[in-house]
Amino acid sequence: MSIANNLLKYKNEIEALNVKLVAVSKNHSADAVMEAYNAGQRVFGENLVQEMVDKQVNLPADIKWHLIGHLQSNKVKYIAPFVKLIESVDSLKLLKEINKQAEKHQRIIDCLLQINIADEETKFGLDFDEAIELLRSEEFSAFKNIRIIGLMGIATNNASEKQTKAEFNELKVLFDGLKLSFFRDQDYFKEISMGMSSDYKIAIEEGSTMVRIGSSIFGKRIIKHWKLQQNEN
Ligand SMILES: *Cc1c(COP(=O)(O)O)cnc(C)c1O
């Protein structure tokens, strides 16, 4: 199946359930992005700042870029002018820098707090307590150029369906709790980004509003450096 066919299959299936599709184009060429774009996709996810910036300057301006990978504070400045959503906020320090760079560009940058729901130590993200502490902090309440519109989580790799379901449920329960405690009157706090190629169906059953699908649309990510791949085409 072509990228366009894959895209349409997932887009139709997912949007019919009122869930948003983020097409994860990391490691794939700008041509691959264009193929999905021409099939109607506008929201794309990247996990590396450099790769996102390179693609953004070469591709249509109406693409909505989501940063889904770990973000270092010193790199926020490169994406601050255009990024649509930073899904992977995992510290107050990072949020502070996003707020600062957003202010420079006179914009408000939407963010998700990435919550660590997996039982792997290597996964980035805030624990429940850390998320609550962040939202309670005085520093957070002073940020005027960021908006937290929800949460993001990645389930444990290759876990049983039962465990995956439980992890997504934890994220949904946390979301509901934070909504009541901190965002009761903020209609914009409404997104739960969870689910990838292997587990998006379970995620949607558990309340996902946004799924991030890469390999099922674009194929396997074989080559690490997307530029090498692009040069081969
Ligand atoms: C790569 C990635 C995805 C997409 O994964 P697939 O299994 O290719 O669908 C989703 N979310 C994050 C955070 C990723 O890094």
Side-chain angles (χ1 to χ4, degrees):
M1 288 251 278
S2 67
I3 290 173
N5 283 337
N6 293 339
L7 187 273
L8 287 174
K9 173 175 167 272
Y10 283 94
K11 191 175 163 65
N12 291 336
E13 179 191 341
I14 286 160
E15 291 181 353
L17 299 167
N18 266 325
V19 173
K20 299 176 197 77
L21 170 64
V22 180
V24 176
S25 48
K26 65 185 186 194
N27 282 214
H28 288 281
S29 67
D31 287 346
V33 176
M34 272 317 291
E35 195 178 335
Y37 179 91
N38 288 331
Q41 183 66 17
R42 292 295 179 272
V43 182
F44 291 90
E46 291 285 340
N47 67 335
L48 297 176
V49 166
Q50 187 62 55
E51 186 172 338
M52 181 190 272
V53 170
D54 288 348
K55 283 180 182 158
Q56 194 269 338
V57 297
N58 289 306
L59 288 166
D62 63 341
I63 289 181
K64 299 177 175 95
W65 294 102
H66 287 199
L67 201 278
I68 60 171
H70 180 64
L71 177 58
Q72 288 171 299
S73 297
N74 61 1
K75 293 192 176 165
V76 174
K77 57 179 176 284
Y78 302 116
I79 59 170
F82 67 87
V83 70
K84 173 71 178 171
L85 178 63
I86 300 176
E87 297 203 17
S88 42
V89 172
D90 58 3
S91 72
L92 186 62
K93 174 175 172 252
L94 175 60
L95 208 49
K96 187 176 177 178
E97 180 63 16
I98 297 169
N99 184 64
K100 181 178 148 190
Q101 295 297 332
E103 194 180 351
K104 266 191 196 164
H105 294 280
Q106 294 175 305
R107 53 185 304 237
I108 291 170
I109 296 182
D110 285 343
C111 298
L112 302 179
L113 295 182
Q114 182 175 353
I115 307 298
N116 188 353
I117 52 170
D119 64 2
E120 295 155 39
E121 301 232 331
T122 52
K123 288 260 158 78
F124 291 106
L126 298 158
D127 295 333
F128 287 21
D129 293 352
E130 292 169 339
I132 291 166
E133 197 183 314
L134 185 156
L135 294 170
R136 275 206 187 120
S137 69
E138 273 182 37
E139 215 173 357
F140 172 74
S141 58
F143 295 155
K144 297 284 181 282
N145 293 76
I146 53 107
R147 204 168 62 152
I148 303 292
I149 66 165
L151 306 180
M152 185 270 258
I154 305 171
T156 304
N157 228 344
N158 294 320
S160 68
E161 188 173 330
K162 187 168 163 233
Q163 184 180 344
T164 305
K165 206 174 164 64
E167 289 176 357
F168 287 148
N169 181 254
E170 276 179 38
L171 190 61
K172 167 70 169 141
V173 168
L174 178 67
F175 173 88
D176 290 342
L178 295 181
K179 175 83 192 161
L180 277 178
S181 305
F182 297 99
F183 298 99
R184 196 186 284 254
D185 301 318
Q186 278 83 34
D187 291 341
Y188 58 76
F189 186 82
K190 60 179 169 46
E191 304 294 352
I192 307 177
S193 174
M194 58 185 187
M196 321 192 342
S197 292
S198 59
D199 55 19
Y200 74 97
K201 284 189 177 158
I202 304 172
I204 291 173
E205 280 170 21
E206 294 304 316
S208 172
T209 67
M210 190 182 277
V211 296
R212 310 174 307 270
I213 297 192
S215 45
S216 291
I217 294 171
F218 294 103
K220 278 207 176 117
R221 293 177 292 271
I222 301 164
I223 296 167
K224 276 260 164 72
H225 303 284
W226 73 282
K227 278 198 159 174
L228 292 178
Q229 185 180 12
Q230 203 176 34
N231 291 341
E232 278 174 11
N233 289 338

